[in-house]
Amino acid sequence: MAAVSACGATAEKEGSGGSGGSGKPVTGLRLMVPNTPGSGYDLTARTVSQVMQDAGVASGVQVFNLPGASGTVGLQRLVNEKGNGKMAMQMGLGVVGASYTSKSKATLTDTTPVARLIEEAGAIVVPKNSPYKTMDDLVTAWKKNPKKLSVGGGSSLGGPDHLLPMQLAKAVGIKPKDVNYISYDGGGELLPAVLGNKLAFGASGYSEFLDQIEAGQVRVLAVTSEKPIDALKDAPTLKDSGIDLVFTNWRGIVAPPGISAEQKKTWVDAMTRMQASKEWKAQLAKNGWVDAFATGDEFGTFLAEQDKAVADLLAELGLA
């Protein structure tokens, strides 16, 4: 799932902040987080809100949480807000999968795409004393007995950490149904399982493992990005290891269906101005986020592609 190049240049040139092109701060916007305070989506949404305020893009952006069913309670609320141009929802790859595994009536194809903001590559990791020194070692053993080798991730079925090993299995010729995936409640539970040799390997966002990698407790066999990651310069990509797969977990913003072209433009312009600000660039560096900015129709095309790929994979697993 390669990154889409940045767009939204037209909106930026127009300089509209949703206030008649005056560039004045937008007011009255609300940003819903479809899971609990402290989550990755919550951090992203509150950072977006603060940067919009600090950069003079918007004032008084209200962030509120509506958790439930892996994000699909919030998704249904958003779809029910048809025509409400003042509301949007923070989301990402996890909501795409959850919309199928939770059998949600509302889908992301019902929403209005606004912007993709950031992405993070995954990492395939093993404990320091693992017999697998390279991806080739791991894949050779995995293909011999895929049901015996367990892989752990910090998300439920349909989440990014589940989708990653399933896509990896397909890429190396293993049936996804044969993968022995063990779900943990976030990186906090996944790490002890990796360190305690309870898993053959772990698959999650690379940031979950950085401290343990630096301490030499965990070894990275590969990262799932298109190019090597600065924070893990010695780790090969899957492509370097001869595996044709790029996988990123991403976060973006969508609005309700049925909003006007002008209402959509207000959100796209606001996100474009925010993304160009020095305040946002500082937050990217602070949080270790990779800028993956794409707006409007370009993000919509990406979202549709992601939705189909996830739906097809989960259908193969009998989960959609």
Side-chain angles (χ1 to χ4, degrees), residues 93-300:
L93 180 58
V95 178
V96 178
S99 69
Y100 290 100
T101 57
S102 298
K103 305 296 189 287
S104 172
K105 291 182 180 179
T107 68
L108 284 163
T109 55
D110 297 326
T111 67
T112 301
V114 173
R116 187 183 63 183
L117 299 174
I118 57 176
E119 67 181 11
E120 180 186 39
I124 305 301
V125 302
V126 294
K128 63 180 180 180
N129 57 350
S130 169
Y132 311 120
K133 307 299 183 185
T134 66
M135 278 301 299
D136 188 56
D137 293 342
L138 174 61
V139 169
T140 299
W142 199 18
K143 291 176 77 170
K144 283 182 180 178
N145 197 341
K147 293 182 179 180
K148 182 179 179 181
L149 268 67
S150 57
V151 51
S155 62
S156 57
L157 300 184
D161 291 4
H162 174 242
L163 295 172
L164 170 52
M166 297 302 154
Q167 291 204 0
L168 177 60
K170 288 193 73 171
V172 300
I174 296 171
K175 293 180 181 179
K177 277 192 174 183
D178 290 340
V179 175
N180 180 12
Y181 177 77
I182 300 175
S183 173
Y184 293 88
D185 188 12
E189 286 193 3
L190 174 62
L191 271 170
V194 173
L195 295 172
N197 291 289
K198 295 180 180 179
L199 303 165
F201 65 102
S204 189
Y206 73 87
S207 63
E208 298 282 357
F209 306 110
L210 280 178
D211 290 344
Q212 286 69 32
I213 293 166
E214 291 175 1
Q217 298 174 311
V218 166
R219 188 166 64 251
V220 182
L221 298 186
V223 291
T224 68
S225 51
E226 182 76 39
K227 299 178 181 179
I229 293 169
D230 289 342
L232 299 169
K233 291 181 179 178
D234 295 331
T237 65
L238 289 175
K239 286 193 169 185
D240 290 336
S241 305
I243 299 170
D244 187 18
L245 176 66
V246 174
F247 180 95
T248 58
N249 184 16
W250 51 269
R251 295 176 193 158
I253 290 176
V254 293
I259 64 173
S260 69
E262 186 60 30
Q263 289 170 328
K264 178 180 178 179
K265 186 175 184 299
T266 293
W267 276 106
V268 170
D269 286 357
M271 290 299 101
T272 301
R273 292 176 61 202
M274 184 211 70
Q275 186 266 348
S277 71
K278 65 180 186 300
E279 290 87 352
W280 179 246
K281 289 175 172 56
Q283 288 296 328
L284 291 176
K286 176 184 175 182
N287 292 290
W289 292 337
V290 176
D291 190 5
F293 193 62
T295 60
D297 293 342
E298 188 170 358
F299 176 45

